[in-house]
Amino acid sequence: MRILSPSKNLFLTITTIAFAHNINAQDQNLTLNQDSKFEQLLNEKRKINTSINTNDTYRIQIFSGKSDEAKKTLSDFKRENSNIDGTIIFSTPNYKVIVGNFKTRIEAERNLAEIKKRYKSVFLLKPGK
C-alpha cells in the first residue's frame, strides 16, 4: 500500500473542502399546492373522529373461539337482536364476538341479563378494555 506524500495529501484535503463547501443537501423553500377542498375534507374527518369514541362504552362479549363458529354466532345474534350492533375481533388465538355500545352500566347489565338466557359464556366488557 502506498502512502500519499504530504503535498498530495494537502491537495486532496483542500479539494475536498472546496467541493464540500458548495454542496447543498436540500432547498429550504417548499411550495405546497393542494386543492382547497382537501382542507374541508380533513376538517370533516376530524369532526367525525371526535364524535366516535368507543372506549367509553360498555360492550358484551358473547363468544370466543373458532372463526366459523364466531361468524355463525354473530349472524344468529343479529337475526335475534337487530337493534344491537355486533362485530368479530381477532385476538390470538380466538375470534371474539362483541356486541353493543351501551353508554351506561345499567343499560349494559339489562341487556346482559337478556343475552345470558341465550348464550353461555357471556360477560360485560368495561370501557377502555
Side-chain angles (χ1 to χ4, degrees):
M1 179 180 203
R2 259 173 57 184
I3 299 176
L4 293 175
S5 66
S7 62
K8 287 184 181 179
N9 196 8
L10 181 62
F11 174 74
L12 204 56
T13 305
I14 292 173
T15 307
T16 304
I17 290 172
F19 283 126
H21 179 67
N22 292 328
I23 295 175
N24 293 324
Q26 295 177 355
D27 188 17
Q28 294 180 356
N29 296 328
L30 177 66
T31 305
L32 179 64
N33 297 322
Q34 72 180 24
D35 192 358
S36 61
K37 292 182 181 180
F38 178 76
E39 194 63 36
Q40 287 177 315
L41 184 62
L42 194 57
N43 287 333
E44 289 297 318
K45 176 80 170 137
R46 288 179 184 141
K47 287 178 192 174
I48 291 170
N49 284 347
T50 57
S51 67
I52 299 173
N53 192 358
T54 58
N55 287 342
D56 59 353
T57 59
Y58 289 88
R59 305 188 85 199
I60 299 171
Q61 180 175 320
I62 63 172
F63 177 80
S64 178
K66 295 182 180 179
S67 174
D68 296 336
E69 296 174 43
K71 289 176 186 174
K72 184 180 182 320
T73 303
L74 182 60
S75 66
D76 291 346
F77 180 82
K78 284 186 175 181
R79 197 174 322 113
E80 296 169 3
N81 303 293
S82 59
N83 59 335
I84 302 175
D85 63 331
T87 188
I88 297 174
I89 297 173
F90 179 70
S91 179
T92 306
N94 295 321
Y95 290 85
K96 298 177 180 181
V97 178
I98 298 176
V99 298
N101 255 346
F102 308 109
K103 292 181 181 179
T104 64
R105 185 177 180 106
I106 294 171
E107 181 185 3
E109 287 180 354
R110 282 186 196 137
N111 284 285
L112 180 68
E114 288 298 314
I115 294 171
K116 270 187 180 179
K117 294 175 185 175
R118 173 76 171 89
Y119 298 95
K120 316 180 246 186
S121 58
V122 176
F123 60 91
L124 188 64
L125 298 174
K126 294 180 182 178
K129 298 290 179 182

